[in-house]
Amino acid sequence: MLPRESVFLEYKESVTPSYLKTVSAFANFGSGRVVFGVDDGRCAVGLEDPVGDALRIENAINDSIDPRPVFSLEVDEEARTVTLIVEEGAHKPYLCKGKAYRRSDS
């Protein structure tokens, strides 16, 4: 089983736009990871198209967060998961659709 969610780690069963707020929060207040394809029980359920989802995640961040944060994506094709790693940025605030976000708990 995977580690528990924390201020610096979040799981998403699928790729939905809500993760963009988390990207803003990590870039503003502390680096972190979002792992897509993992359910609330911390079990890898996989994504249908992890490579395609990684591309969609990258494009959404580039289109929705201003300024553009430093991030990387890792695709685990065996587990069918995508890990998004966001670095705390130097050019704060990082805005998602005009709002800055802060991560206060898991």
Side-chain angles (χ1 to χ4, degrees):
M1 191 172 291
L2 298 168
R4 291 184 179 271
E5 286 187 324
S6 70
V7 174
F8 305 106
L9 174 64
E10 183 166 316
Y11 297 122
K12 297 284 187 186
E13 191 167 338
S14 61
V15 179
T16 61
S18 65
Y19 75 90
L20 292 167
K21 294 176 186 177
T22 305
V23 172
S24 170
F26 285 152
N28 284 321
F29 292 100
S31 302
R33 295 180 302 142
V34 180
V35 183
F36 298 90
V38 176
D39 67 14
D40 289 337
R42 298 181 285 156
C43 294
V45 295
L47 300 168
E48 190 171 312
D49 180 14
V51 173
D53 284 332
L55 180 60
R56 284 186 285 283
I57 291 165
E58 179 178 3
N59 289 335
I61 292 170
N62 290 338
D63 292 344
S64 302
I65 308 290
D66 187 43
R68 188 173 301 156
V70 175
F71 68 94
S72 61
L73 291 159
E74 297 174 356
V75 176
D76 181 336
E77 292 193 54
E78 185 177 318
R80 304 185 65 77
T81 61
V82 175
T83 301
L84 166 62
I85 302 152
V86 182
E87 302 296 328
E88 182 172 0
H91 305 289
K92 301 171 187 176
Y94 291 84
L95 306 176
C96 175
K97 299 180 182 175
K99 292 184 178 181
Y101 290 88
R102 178 179 185 158
R103 188 149 169 89
S104 57
D105 59 16
S106 61

